[in-house]
Tab-separated table of all heavy atoms in Angstrom:
chain	number	residue	atom	x	y	z
I	1	MET	N	15.214	39.470	185.308
I	1	MET	CA	15.481	40.156	184.082
I	1	MET	C	15.857	39.178	182.965
I	1	MET	O	16.513	38.161	183.272
I	1	MET	CB	16.571	41.195	184.282
I	1	MET	CG	16.216	42.275	185.374
I	1	MET	SD	14.955	43.440	184.779
I	1	MET	CE	15.805	44.267	183.514
I	2	THR	N	15.530	39.559	181.727
I	2	THR	CA	16.048	38.758	180.577
I	2	THR	C	16.577	39.770	179.578
I	2	THR	O	16.318	40.964	179.609
I	2	THR	CB	14.917	37.990	179.906
I	2	THR	OG1	13.974	38.859	179.304
I	2	THR	CG2	14.185	37.078	180.896
I	3	ASP	N	17.258	39.205	178.554
I	3	ASP	CA	17.578	40.042	177.385
I	3	ASP	C	16.519	39.928	176.351
I	3	ASP	O	15.443	39.361	176.640
I	3	ASP	CB	18.964	39.588	176.852
I	3	ASP	CG	18.999	38.243	176.233
I	3	ASP	OD1	17.853	37.645	176.131
I	3	ASP	OD2	20.091	37.734	175.831
I	4	GLY	N	16.668	40.484	175.235
I	4	GLY	CA	15.646	40.555	174.168
I	4	GLY	C	15.307	39.268	173.609
I	4	GLY	O	14.268	39.080	172.905
I	5	ASP	N	16.095	38.151	173.886
I	5	ASP	CA	15.797	36.829	173.417
I	5	ASP	C	15.261	35.940	174.524
I	5	ASP	O	15.182	34.770	174.429
I	5	ASP	CB	17.074	36.189	172.884
I	5	ASP	CG	17.493	36.800	171.569
I	5	ASP	OD1	16.658	37.333	170.811
I	5	ASP	OD2	18.703	36.744	171.251
I	6	GLY	N	14.849	36.616	175.640
I	6	GLY	CA	14.267	35.848	176.729
I	6	GLY	C	15.242	35.043	177.551
I	6	GLY	O	14.867	34.190	178.338
I	7	ARG	N	16.534	35.282	177.344
I	7	ARG	CA	17.532	34.595	178.133
I	7	ARG	C	17.675	35.245	179.512
I	7	ARG	O	17.835	36.473	179.599
I	7	ARG	CB	18.921	34.598	177.453
I	7	ARG	CG	18.865	33.862	176.079
I	7	ARG	CD	20.222	33.829	175.397
I	7	ARG	NE	20.715	35.213	175.145
I	7	ARG	CZ	21.898	35.448	174.566
I	7	ARG	NH1	22.687	34.428	174.293
I	7	ARG	NH2	22.281	36.657	174.296
I	8	ALA	N	17.575	34.409	180.568
I	8	ALA	CA	17.620	34.927	181.932
I	8	ALA	C	19.019	35.554	182.235
I	8	ALA	O	20.052	35.012	181.766
I	8	ALA	CB	17.326	33.880	182.936
I	9	LEU	N	19.017	36.689	182.918
I	9	LEU	CA	20.259	37.386	183.298
I	9	LEU	C	20.531	37.228	184.758
I	9	LEU	O	19.578	37.282	185.582
I	9	LEU	CB	20.174	38.832	182.935
I	9	LEU	CG	19.844	39.135	181.470
I	9	LEU	CD1	19.741	40.663	181.241
I	9	LEU	CD2	20.967	38.571	180.523
I	10	ASP	N	21.791	37.141	185.147
I	10	ASP	CA	22.175	37.148	186.552
I	10	ASP	C	22.230	38.559	187.056
I	10	ASP	O	22.001	39.484	186.322
I	10	ASP	CB	23.491	36.312	186.758
I	10	ASP	CG	24.721	37.082	186.177
I	10	ASP	OD1	24.618	38.295	185.960
I	10	ASP	OD2	25.790	36.377	186.001
I	11	PRO	N	22.514	38.738	188.364
I	11	PRO	CA	22.517	40.117	188.913
I	11	PRO	C	23.551	41.067	188.263
I	11	PRO	O	23.519	42.282	188.460
I	11	PRO	CB	22.824	39.879	190.411
I	11	PRO	CG	22.409	38.498	190.649
I	11	PRO	CD	22.681	37.748	189.382
I	12	PHE	N	24.501	40.491	187.528
I	12	PHE	CA	25.448	41.317	186.834
I	12	PHE	C	25.163	41.503	185.366
I	12	PHE	O	26.029	41.844	184.597
I	12	PHE	CB	26.887	40.696	187.026
I	12	PHE	CG	27.265	40.473	188.444
I	12	PHE	CD1	27.171	39.188	189.017
I	12	PHE	CD2	27.576	41.545	189.288
I	12	PHE	CE1	27.428	38.992	190.367
I	12	PHE	CE2	27.910	41.322	190.616
I	12	PHE	CZ	27.790	40.002	191.180
I	13	ASP	N	23.904	41.167	184.987
I	13	ASP	CA	23.434	41.266	183.602
I	13	ASP	C	24.219	40.323	182.637
I	13	ASP	O	24.182	40.563	181.401
I	13	ASP	CB	23.533	42.720	183.079
I	13	ASP	CG	22.404	43.634	183.734
I	13	ASP	OD1	21.448	43.025	184.196
I	13	ASP	OD2	22.608	44.852	183.656
I	14	GLU	N	24.692	39.234	183.160
I	14	GLU	CA	25.317	38.255	182.372
I	14	GLU	C	24.302	37.144	182.085
I	14	GLU	O	23.500	36.778	182.952
I	14	GLU	CB	26.500	37.586	183.054
I	14	GLU	CG	27.642	38.577	183.319
I	14	GLU	CD	28.364	39.073	182.078
I	14	GLU	OE1	28.355	38.331	181.036
I	14	GLU	OE2	28.824	40.180	182.070
I	15	VAL	N	24.288	36.656	180.828
I	15	VAL	CA	23.331	35.545	180.426
I	15	VAL	C	23.646	34.271	181.214
I	15	VAL	O	24.793	33.880	181.395
I	15	VAL	CB	23.471	35.253	178.936
I	15	VAL	CG1	22.764	33.950	178.552
I	15	VAL	CG2	22.930	36.448	178.156
I	16	ILE	N	22.529	33.690	181.752
I	16	ILE	CA	22.685	32.286	182.338
I	16	ILE	C	22.385	31.314	181.337
I	16	ILE	O	21.219	31.199	180.897
I	16	ILE	CB	21.635	32.217	183.560
I	16	ILE	CG1	21.941	33.364	184.587
I	16	ILE	CG2	21.771	30.815	184.201
I	16	ILE	CD1	20.858	33.416	185.680
I	17	LEU	N	23.392	30.654	180.843
I	17	LEU	CA	23.258	29.738	179.704
I	17	LEU	C	22.172	28.697	179.932
I	17	LEU	O	22.144	28.040	181.016
I	17	LEU	CB	24.556	29.097	179.380
I	17	LEU	CG	25.638	30.008	178.802
I	17	LEU	CD1	26.927	29.207	178.563
I	17	LEU	CD2	25.154	30.580	177.504
I	18	GLY	N	21.286	28.548	178.991
I	18	GLY	CA	20.284	27.476	179.002
I	18	GLY	C	19.059	27.834	179.790
I	18	GLY	O	18.103	26.998	179.866
I	19	LEU	N	18.976	29.034	180.426
I	19	LEU	CA	17.826	29.350	181.233
I	19	LEU	C	17.048	30.548	180.542
I	19	LEU	O	17.634	31.592	180.315
I	19	LEU	CB	18.269	29.803	182.619
I	19	LEU	CG	17.086	30.108	183.579
I	19	LEU	CD1	16.213	28.983	183.778
I	19	LEU	CD2	17.612	30.658	184.909
I	20	PHE	N	15.780	30.263	180.186
I	20	PHE	CA	14.956	31.290	179.584
I	20	PHE	C	13.759	31.584	180.480
I	20	PHE	O	13.396	30.817	181.349
I	20	PHE	CB	14.434	30.730	178.247
I	20	PHE	CG	15.503	30.543	177.189
I	20	PHE	CD1	16.228	29.332	177.234
I	20	PHE	CD2	15.759	31.450	176.217
I	20	PHE	CE1	17.217	29.097	176.265
I	20	PHE	CE2	16.659	31.212	175.327
I	20	PHE	CZ	17.418	30.069	175.264
I	21	ALA	N	13.204	32.840	180.318
I	21	ALA	CA	12.085	33.167	181.141
I	21	ALA	C	11.132	34.113	180.371
I	21	ALA	O	11.594	34.870	179.458
I	21	ALA	CB	12.533	33.850	182.405
I	22	ALA	N	9.856	34.038	180.639
I	22	ALA	CA	8.901	34.978	180.069
I	22	ALA	C	7.677	34.978	180.988
I	22	ALA	O	7.519	34.141	181.800
I	22	ALA	CB	8.489	34.508	178.622
I	23	GLY	N	6.834	35.983	180.786
I	23	GLY	CA	5.557	36.061	181.582
I	23	GLY	C	5.866	36.555	182.938
I	23	GLY	O	6.745	37.340	183.211
I	24	ASN	N	5.005	36.103	183.888
I	24	ASN	CA	4.983	36.648	185.234
I	24	ASN	C	6.240	36.291	186.026
I	24	ASN	O	6.456	36.862	187.128
I	24	ASN	CB	3.767	36.121	185.993
I	24	ASN	CG	2.544	36.858	185.592
I	24	ASN	OD1	2.561	37.825	184.756
I	24	ASN	ND2	1.341	36.408	186.109
I	25	THR	N	7.094	35.406	185.471
I	25	THR	CA	8.372	35.146	186.190
I	25	THR	C	9.399	36.233	185.920
I	25	THR	O	10.447	36.267	186.532
I	25	THR	CB	8.968	33.812	185.747
I	25	THR	OG1	9.162	33.831	184.334
I	25	THR	CG2	8.126	32.628	186.111
I	26	THR	N	9.114	37.134	184.990
I	26	THR	CA	10.017	38.190	184.567
I	26	THR	C	9.559	39.581	184.915
I	26	THR	O	8.390	39.770	185.226
I	26	THR	CB	10.291	38.177	183.043
I	26	THR	OG1	9.059	38.509	182.415
I	26	THR	CG2	10.780	36.815	182.630
I	27	SER	N	10.404	40.538	184.990
I	27	SER	CA	10.035	41.895	185.213
I	27	SER	C	9.330	42.369	183.959
I	27	SER	O	9.593	41.960	182.822
I	27	SER	CB	11.200	42.828	185.556
I	27	SER	OG	12.080	42.931	184.489
I	28	ASN	N	8.370	43.291	184.168
I	28	ASN	CA	7.544	43.736	183.013
I	28	ASN	C	8.182	44.995	182.393
I	28	ASN	O	8.664	45.879	183.131
I	28	ASN	CB	6.110	44.024	183.483
I	28	ASN	CG	5.122	44.270	182.320
I	28	ASN	OD1	5.178	45.361	181.715
I	28	ASN	ND2	4.315	43.309	182.068
I	29	PRO	N	8.142	45.104	181.059
I	29	PRO	CA	8.750	46.353	180.435
I	29	PRO	C	8.078	47.607	180.924
I	29	PRO	O	8.690	48.692	180.788
I	29	PRO	CB	8.565	46.131	178.934
I	29	PRO	CG	7.572	45.075	178.777
I	29	PRO	CD	7.678	44.168	180.047
I	30	MET	N	6.865	47.597	181.433
I	30	MET	CA	6.157	48.799	181.889
I	30	MET	C	6.410	49.062	183.358
I	30	MET	O	5.892	50.033	183.904
I	30	MET	CB	4.673	48.649	181.723
I	30	MET	CG	4.277	48.479	180.233
I	30	MET	SD	4.839	49.797	179.169
I	30	MET	CE	3.908	51.157	179.826
I	31	GLY	N	7.315	48.249	183.974
I	31	GLY	CA	7.603	48.471	185.448
I	31	GLY	C	6.301	48.253	186.232
I	31	GLY	O	5.522	47.358	185.994
I	32	PRO	N	6.083	49.088	187.219
I	32	PRO	CA	4.906	48.983	188.064
I	32	PRO	C	3.623	49.433	187.423
I	32	PRO	O	2.521	49.308	187.994
I	32	PRO	CB	5.262	49.830	189.294
I	32	PRO	CG	6.133	50.873	188.733
I	32	PRO	CD	6.985	50.238	187.595
I	33	GLY	N	3.716	50.002	186.237
I	33	GLY	CA	2.460	50.572	185.623
I	33	GLY	C	1.578	49.482	184.959
I	33	GLY	O	2.072	48.392	184.672
I	34	TYR	N	0.363	49.821	184.839
I	34	TYR	CA	-0.562	48.919	184.039
I	34	TYR	C	-1.490	49.864	183.172
I	34	TYR	O	-2.577	50.173	183.568
I	34	TYR	CB	-1.427	48.109	185.008
I	34	TYR	CG	-2.197	46.984	184.296
I	34	TYR	CD1	-1.581	45.710	184.025
I	34	TYR	CD2	-3.545	47.121	183.945
I	34	TYR	CE1	-2.254	44.752	183.366
I	34	TYR	CE2	-4.196	46.114	183.266
I	34	TYR	CZ	-3.575	44.908	183.023
I	34	TYR	OH	-4.240	43.921	182.433
I	35	PRO	N	-0.972	50.208	182.017
I	35	PRO	CA	-1.641	51.208	181.211
I	35	PRO	C	-2.925	50.653	180.533
I	35	PRO	O	-3.784	51.473	180.099
I	35	PRO	CB	-0.661	51.599	180.128
I	35	PRO	CG	0.293	50.417	180.028
I	35	PRO	CD	0.340	49.880	181.428
I	36	GLY	N	-3.071	49.323	180.419
I	36	GLY	CA	-4.289	48.870	179.791
I	36	GLY	C	-4.333	47.375	179.624
I	36	GLY	O	-3.312	46.662	179.900
I	37	ALA	N	-5.471	46.851	179.224
I	37	ALA	CA	-5.671	45.366	179.091
I	37	ALA	C	-4.589	44.855	178.140
I	37	ALA	O	-4.322	45.460	177.124
I	37	ALA	CB	-7.045	45.066	178.569
I	38	GLY	N	-4.067	43.667	178.472
I	38	GLY	CA	-3.029	43.057	177.637
I	38	GLY	C	-1.597	43.356	178.034
I	38	GLY	O	-0.677	42.820	177.487
I	39	GLU	N	-1.456	44.193	179.061
I	39	GLU	CA	-0.181	44.570	179.485
I	39	GLU	C	0.678	43.442	180.017
I	39	GLU	O	1.918	43.537	179.967
I	39	GLU	CB	-0.204	45.697	180.475
I	39	GLU	CG	1.093	46.191	181.042
I	39	GLU	CD	2.142	46.405	179.878
I	39	GLU	OE1	1.855	46.922	178.840
I	39	GLU	OE2	3.318	45.971	180.107
I	40	THR	N	0.054	42.426	180.514
I	40	THR	CA	0.831	41.268	180.947
I	40	THR	C	0.869	40.184	179.908
I	40	THR	O	1.946	39.602	179.638
I	40	THR	CB	0.283	40.659	182.300
I	40	THR	OG1	-1.091	40.467	182.125
I	40	THR	CG2	0.530	41.574	183.448
I	41	LEU	N	-0.234	39.935	179.207
I	41	LEU	CA	-0.288	38.902	178.255
I	41	LEU	C	0.522	39.185	176.986
I	41	LEU	O	1.232	38.361	176.385
I	41	LEU	CB	-1.767	38.599	177.805
I	41	LEU	CG	-2.520	37.834	178.793
I	41	LEU	CD1	-4.020	37.672	178.409
I	41	LEU	CD2	-1.991	36.446	179.053
I	42	GLY	N	0.525	40.499	176.591
I	42	GLY	CA	1.259	40.899	175.372
I	42	GLY	C	2.744	40.664	175.510
I	42	GLY	O	3.377	39.944	174.724
I	43	PRO	N	3.399	41.243	176.563
I	43	PRO	CA	4.827	40.994	176.642
I	43	PRO	C	5.100	39.506	176.963
I	43	PRO	O	6.112	38.997	176.506
I	43	PRO	CB	5.253	41.848	177.882
I	43	PRO	CG	4.188	42.919	177.950
I	43	PRO	CD	2.927	42.306	177.445
I	44	GLY	N	4.285	38.843	177.728
I	44	GLY	CA	4.512	37.412	178.018
I	44	GLY	C	4.526	36.582	176.731
I	44	GLY	O	5.379	35.685	176.515
I	45	MET	N	3.541	36.794	175.896
I	45	MET	CA	3.500	36.046	174.588
I	45	MET	C	4.645	36.451	173.670
I	45	MET	O	5.266	35.584	173.024
I	45	MET	CB	2.168	36.314	173.886
I	45	MET	CG	1.018	35.682	174.645
I	45	MET	SD	-0.635	35.740	173.791
I	45	MET	CE	-0.433	36.848	172.483
I	46	THR	N	4.953	37.727	173.637
I	46	THR	CA	6.046	38.199	172.741
I	46	THR	C	7.367	37.652	173.149
I	46	THR	O	8.126	37.091	172.358
I	46	THR	CB	6.122	39.759	172.788
I	46	THR	OG1	4.847	40.258	172.302
I	46	THR	CG2	7.216	40.260	171.830
I	47	MET	N	7.671	37.670	174.495
I	47	MET	CA	8.896	37.192	174.963
I	47	MET	C	9.013	35.673	174.962
I	47	MET	O	10.049	35.051	174.787
I	47	MET	CB	9.238	37.792	176.339
I	47	MET	CG	9.495	39.272	176.317
I	47	MET	SD	10.652	39.815	175.045
I	47	MET	CE	12.175	38.937	175.617
I	48	GLY	N	7.849	35.042	175.157
I	48	GLY	CA	7.830	33.580	175.030
I	48	GLY	C	8.163	33.150	173.669
I	48	GLY	O	8.938	32.135	173.457
I	49	TYR	N	7.610	33.847	172.653
I	49	TYR	CA	7.967	33.577	171.253
I	49	TYR	C	9.456	33.800	170.986
I	49	TYR	O	10.084	32.908	170.390
I	49	TYR	CB	7.106	34.422	170.330
I	49	TYR	CG	7.406	34.319	168.902
I	49	TYR	CD1	6.968	33.131	168.152
I	49	TYR	CD2	8.071	35.319	168.157
I	49	TYR	CE1	7.298	33.037	166.803
I	49	TYR	CE2	8.355	35.202	166.882
I	49	TYR	CZ	7.979	34.085	166.160
I	49	TYR	OH	8.266	33.967	164.831
I	50	ALA	N	10.001	34.931	171.438
I	50	ALA	CA	11.446	35.256	171.256
I	50	ALA	C	12.285	34.190	171.918
I	50	ALA	O	13.263	33.799	171.345
I	50	ALA	CB	11.703	36.703	171.795
I	51	ALA	N	11.936	33.802	173.150
I	51	ALA	CA	12.743	32.798	173.852
I	51	ALA	C	12.668	31.484	173.146
I	51	ALA	O	13.677	30.765	173.079
I	51	ALA	CB	12.181	32.719	175.292
I	52	GLY	N	11.500	31.131	172.631
I	52	GLY	CA	11.408	29.839	171.935
I	52	GLY	C	12.231	29.806	170.676
I	52	GLY	O	12.902	28.811	170.412
I	53	ARG	N	12.215	30.880	169.925
I	53	ARG	CA	13.035	30.945	168.757
I	53	ARG	C	14.487	30.860	169.078
I	53	ARG	O	15.243	30.158	168.433
I	53	ARG	CB	12.814	32.346	168.020
I	53	ARG	CG	11.530	32.371	167.197
I	53	ARG	CD	11.311	33.714	166.534
I	53	ARG	NE	12.524	33.999	165.692
I	53	ARG	CZ	12.429	34.075	164.363
I	53	ARG	NH1	11.300	33.833	163.713
I	53	ARG	NH2	13.488	34.340	163.647
I	54	ARG	N	14.924	31.564	170.120
I	54	ARG	CA	16.337	31.532	170.491
I	54	ARG	C	16.687	30.134	171.007
I	54	ARG	O	17.801	29.645	170.697
I	54	ARG	CB	16.570	32.590	171.616
I	54	ARG	CG	18.014	32.596	172.098
I	54	ARG	CD	18.913	33.140	171.007
I	54	ARG	NE	20.331	32.993	171.349
I	54	ARG	CZ	21.218	33.942	171.138
I	54	ARG	NH1	20.909	35.054	170.522
I	54	ARG	NH2	22.481	33.732	171.487
I	55	ALA	N	15.839	29.506	171.759
I	55	ALA	CA	16.191	28.161	172.272
I	55	ALA	C	16.346	27.178	171.154
I	55	ALA	O	17.203	26.269	171.212
I	55	ALA	CB	15.077	27.693	173.295
I	56	VAL	N	15.488	27.295	170.105
I	56	VAL	CA	15.548	26.336	169.022
I	56	VAL	C	16.779	26.655	168.124
I	56	VAL	O	17.461	25.735	167.687
I	56	VAL	CB	14.312	26.399	168.168
I	56	VAL	CG1	14.426	25.682	166.798
I	56	VAL	CG2	13.130	25.827	169.005
I	57	ASN	N	17.030	27.925	167.864
I	57	ASN	CA	18.089	28.266	166.889
I	57	ASN	C	19.406	28.498	167.491
I	57	ASN	O	20.462	28.593	166.803
I	57	ASN	CB	17.608	29.621	166.171
I	57	ASN	CG	16.407	29.400	165.338
I	57	ASN	OD1	16.252	28.322	164.728
I	57	ASN	ND2	15.543	30.345	165.258
I	58	GLY	N	19.516	28.552	168.837
I	58	GLY	CA	20.786	28.680	169.540
I	58	GLY	C	21.319	30.067	169.501
I	58	GLY	O	20.797	30.980	168.924
D	101	FAD	C1	-9.025	36.917	186.200
D	101	FAD	C2	-7.755	37.349	185.419
D	101	FAD	C3	-7.935	38.247	184.366
D	101	FAD	C4	-6.821	38.650	183.617
D	101	FAD	N1	-6.993	39.518	182.587
D	101	FAD	C5	-5.953	39.893	181.837
D	101	FAD	C6	-6.130	40.717	180.686
D	101	FAD	O1	-7.212	41.155	180.314
D	101	FAD	N2	-4.989	41.147	180.031
D	101	FAD	C7	-3.740	40.658	180.364
D	101	FAD	O2	-2.808	41.049	179.657
D	101	FAD	N3	-3.531	39.906	181.385
D	101	FAD	C8	-4.608	39.484	182.157
D	101	FAD	N4	-4.425	38.652	183.252
D	101	FAD	C9	-3.093	38.294	183.624
D	101	FAD	C10	-2.598	37.152	182.730
D	101	FAD	O3	-3.563	36.126	182.718
D	101	FAD	C11	-1.280	36.595	183.377
D	101	FAD	O4	-0.368	37.678	183.505
D	101	FAD	C12	-0.710	35.532	182.454
D	101	FAD	O5	-1.597	34.445	182.300
D	101	FAD	C13	0.596	35.023	183.046
D	101	FAD	O6	1.088	34.057	182.180
D	101	FAD	P1	2.339	33.183	182.641
D	101	FAD	O7	2.558	32.190	181.563
D	101	FAD	O8	3.459	34.020	183.130
D	101	FAD	O9	1.830	32.412	183.962
D	101	FAD	P2	0.598	31.384	184.131
D	101	FAD	O10	-0.440	31.582	183.063
D	101	FAD	O11	0.209	31.532	185.591
D	101	FAD	O12	1.249	30.050	183.841
D	101	FAD	C14	2.092	29.359	184.787
D	101	FAD	C15	1.900	27.878	184.612
D	101	FAD	O13	2.900	27.205	185.351
D	101	FAD	C16	2.253	26.105	185.994
D	101	FAD	N5	3.044	25.758	187.190
D	101	FAD	C17	3.044	26.379	188.375
D	101	FAD	N6	3.948	25.775	189.164
D	101	FAD	C18	4.448	24.750	188.487
D	101	FAD	C19	5.447	23.732	188.785
D	101	FAD	N7	6.053	23.647	190.009
D	101	FAD	N8	5.744	22.876	187.868
D	101	FAD	C20	5.152	22.917	186.606
D	101	FAD	N9	4.232	23.872	186.249
D	101	FAD	C21	3.920	24.758	187.212
D	101	FAD	C22	0.892	26.589	186.294
D	101	FAD	O14	-0.018	25.471	186.461
D	101	FAD	C23	0.563	27.366	185.052
D	101	FAD	O15	-0.053	26.572	184.050
D	101	FAD	C24	-5.513	38.218	184.000
D	101	FAD	C25	-5.389	37.352	185.066
D	101	FAD	C26	-6.464	36.919	185.803
D	101	FAD	C27	-6.311	35.973	186.953
């Protein structure tokens, strides 16, 4: 799991400082569903972008 900035969370939903995740290493916002093409690439790219911004800007 991550927060909205792609920061990895521990089992207690606390941010693990310095660890970011996106794509297939993370849980998908749609859960087990796959409503259509782009369901993995879309969130992966979006959260990769968010994580990159957060990593650069702190
Ligand atoms: C045939 C096919 C069709 C698909 N079609 C669609 C589609 O139409 N729409 C859609 O949304 N999704 C589609 N997907 C799924 C989508 O491609 C993946 O969900 C997406 O690429 C995952 O991105 P990722 O960055 O999480 O992982 P990946 O793209 O798998 O990237 C992981 C990277 O980590 C590297 N790596 C692995 N181990 C290490 C290591 N130890 N050290 C350093 N690097 C390492 C790998 O070489 C790889 O470059 C498709 C997948 C396949 C296989």
Side-chain angles (χ1 to χ4, degrees):
M1 299 291 291
T2 68
D3 67 7
D5 289 333
R7 297 182 298 178
L9 303 177
D10 70 16
F12 305 102
D13 286 340
E14 298 291 333
V15 168
I16 302 172
L17 288 177
L19 183 62
F20 294 83
N24 284 354
T25 58
T26 63
S27 66
N28 191 284
M30 298 305 291
Y34 191 83
E39 178 44 43
T40 51
L41 287 174
M45 291 186 347
T46 301
M47 293 310 298
Y49 176 74
R53 281 180 58 110
R54 180 67 189 223
V56 168
N57 295 324

